[in-house]
Amino acid sequence: MRKISALLLVLILLLGCIGLAAAADEGDLPIDVKPPQNVSVNWMEENDSPTTMSFSFSIDPQMSQALIAIDQARDAGLLETMLKQYGVSDVYVNIQIDWALDDVNDPVSGWHYNEYWDDKYGMGLGKDENGRYRCSEWDIVEWGLNSLDTVQTYWIMRGVPDDDRWNGIPEDGTPGVKDQLRPDQYEYYDDNVHIDFTKHTAYFRVRYALTAVKETEEGIQYLNKFSDWSETVCYGKDVVAYTPIKAGDIAAPEITDLHMTDKEFNDNPIVAFTLTVPDALSKMAVDAAAHGGYISIETEARVKGDTEWVGMGNADWEIKTGEMECALVTLISENHPKIAKDTPIELRCRYRCGQPGQDDVFSDYSKVLTFETTEIGNDPQPTPPEVTVTPKPEEKKDEAKKDKCPLCGFCPQPLGLCIFIWIAIIIVIAVVVIIVVKKSKKDDAGEKKRG
């Protein structure tokens, strides 16, 4: 409960920092945000479809922390109570990605954003007053966040087959991708569109679409608010080639506030620390992601006094500003089958950058943080206690007992059989004799009658 209360406190503070709506009855939403940051894009060189782009951006650290707090409050069943003062019961975030080819102001192939992206008619993002979709396959008007991590990556501008996605639905006013390109900008064959990016340039921008759920007497309403567009990013004939990240480019992680949590993994403790992701690192991570790479964080720990560091196998690795968790079970080893309570533990981190065709690049290590652990080494499946076997007492030899009949327990066993068995045998013989005698008498009487 202490953890939930802390989350709600964080939520209150963060919503206050990024701008609270003072009047929910005026249609405002409880969050105002900055546009997506550090946008990057790269052509995938036909590794998916002939036109697919890998598009990445980063979330502002304040917004990232607010979204994490909102998500955790929702999981705890407390979000509705928190948002009640703003007149809404839930709030969530989508993204919208706009695109253009060669000239962003061109009436055909320029930016494709229009009034329908704003849900002007209350029928849903991208729809007109009749609920008909008025955007093409390449117009991204309602995609959710992949996660709550700092870096977000999407595949966009993907190939479309020769159906409604390419040709549109004219009677509904739904454009196809073909309607948004000029004939000299593409070729269409093998059931796919092809664009020569040595001759053409694709432009992209992204924004957030925030939606709040409001319950009224008339029913549920969805209130939308949009961030500004991000900076424009492009790929094509006029774009400077991307330079891979190299050794020395990445600064050491900034970590603080190392502490024990009330969580466990396999019955062993979990610690947490706060990671601060500077904008320069976010930019590098976004560029790496768009070009098929990544930047992650690695956590190492050791018992204070040991010389060797241990790579922690159950620790958060995706970079984000905020709390990162690390399970301590990995510290169990032959040298440390159990680690006593209050043993000093040291922890440090570094960034790893992986890029296609390149050796991995590492940052320097962070400063070393120290804390005192609870006991480590609890067996998640305790071995049951050994069963004590009480030896059977030896029976005392009793010669008289040997002479007793095992069946009745008292007869002298004449000729080795229980006396009751002998009685049974005699009765059976007697019965047989009686039956034979009676049958013989009947046969004699029958013969006399015939005679």
Side-chain angles (χ1 to χ4, degrees), residues 228-271:
D228 291 334
W229 290 101
S230 68
E231 62 182 7
T232 298
V233 67
C234 58
Y235 181 89
K237 66 184 181 70
D238 299 323
V239 178
V240 177
Y242 170 71
T243 303
I245 297 168
K246 60 184 184 298
D249 288 347
I250 307 175
E254 300 174 29
I255 60 173
T256 55
D257 188 28
L258 179 61
H259 60 277
M260 298 295 300
T261 71
D262 55 3
K263 297 180 181 180
E264 291 185 339
F265 177 79
N266 281 356
D267 291 341
N268 284 279
I270 293 176
V271 295

Side-chain angles (χ1 to χ4, degrees), residues 87-384:
V88 298
S89 59
D90 201 355
V91 60
Y92 53 89
V93 178
N94 286 305
I95 62 162
Q96 297 185 325
I97 303 175
D98 195 7
W99 66 282
L101 194 64
D102 295 331
D103 180 0
V104 297
N105 296 312
D106 187 275
V108 175
S109 63
W111 293 129
H112 297 100
Y113 160 77
N114 56 40
E115 63 183 1
Y116 305 114
W117 292 47
D118 297 339
D119 189 20
K120 178 180 178 180
Y121 300 99
M123 301 297 290
L125 299 173
K127 295 180 179 179
D128 65 14
E129 63 273 27
N130 297 310
R132 297 174 300 188
Y133 201 64
R134 302 297 292 272
C135 305
S136 83
E137 185 79 4
W138 284 4
D139 300 338
I140 311 302
V141 297
E142 191 178 8
W143 279 11
L145 292 172
N146 288 328
S147 65
L148 298 179
D149 297 314
T150 297
V151 178
Q152 304 286 311
T153 300
Y154 301 84
W155 288 5
I156 60 174
M157 211 171 175
R158 303 181 77 179
V160 287
D162 191 8
D163 57 17
D164 291 346
R165 288 167 285 183
W166 173 244
N167 301 299
I169 309 174
E171 59 270 25
D172 288 347
T174 303
V177 173
K178 180 172 68 174
D179 300 318
Q180 299 174 319
L181 296 171
R182 293 191 175 278
D184 61 343
Q185 292 178 319
Y186 70 90
E187 293 181 86
Y188 196 94
Y189 56 88
D190 295 337
D191 207 30
N192 236 321
V193 59
H194 300 255
I195 297 174
D196 186 348
F197 291 109
T198 64
K199 299 178 181 177
H200 302 281
T201 302
Y203 297 86
F204 304 94
R205 59 182 181 177
V206 59
R207 71 174 183 175
Y208 295 115
L210 286 81
T211 301
V213 180
K214 185 174 184 179
E215 299 179 12
T216 68
E217 293 181 356
E218 291 76 28
I220 294 177
Q221 294 182 358
Y222 297 93
L223 309 175
N224 297 304
K225 191 170 185 178
F226 303 90
S227 71
D228 291 334
W229 290 101
S230 68
E231 62 182 7
T232 298
V233 67
C234 58
Y235 181 89
K237 66 184 181 70
D238 299 323
V239 178
V240 177
Y242 170 71
T243 303
I245 297 168
K246 60 184 184 298
D249 288 347
I250 307 175
E254 300 174 29
I255 60 173
T256 55
D257 188 28
L258 179 61
H259 60 277
M260 298 295 300
T261 71
D262 55 3
K263 297 180 181 180
E264 291 185 339
F265 177 79
N266 281 356
D267 291 341
N268 284 279
I270 293 176
V271 295
F273 57 89
T274 300
L275 175 68
T276 300
V277 181
D279 190 60
L281 180 69
S282 293
K283 174 62 176 170
M284 279 190 282
V286 166
D287 284 339
H291 291 81
Y294 65 90
I295 295 180
S296 61
I297 188 166
E298 297 180 339
T299 303
E300 297 179 355
R302 67 182 179 186
V303 174
K304 190 169 185 178
D306 286 356
T307 56
E308 298 295 324
W309 289 90
V310 178
M312 305 305 287
N314 300 99
D316 289 340
W317 58 273
E318 293 182 312
I319 61 173
K320 63 179 183 291
T321 290
E323 192 167 89
M324 308 284 284
E325 294 183 347
C326 173
L328 298 180
V329 65
T330 313
L331 283 176
I332 299 172
S333 64
E334 290 183 5
N335 293 332
H336 297 292
K338 272 191 179 293
I339 300 174
K341 185 177 182 295
D342 298 330
T343 298
I345 303 292
E346 296 179 317
L347 183 144
R348 67 180 185 180
C349 300
R350 68 174 178 179
Y351 290 119
R352 174 195 287 264
C353 176
Q355 303 167 101
Q358 306 286 325
D359 293 335
D360 286 357
V361 173
F362 298 89
S363 72
D364 290 335
Y365 281 102
S366 68
K367 64 182 179 181
V368 175
L369 302 181
T370 304
F371 67 101
E372 292 182 347
T373 183
T374 55
E375 184 181 25
I376 307 172
N378 296 318
D379 189 344
Q381 295 181 331
T383 304

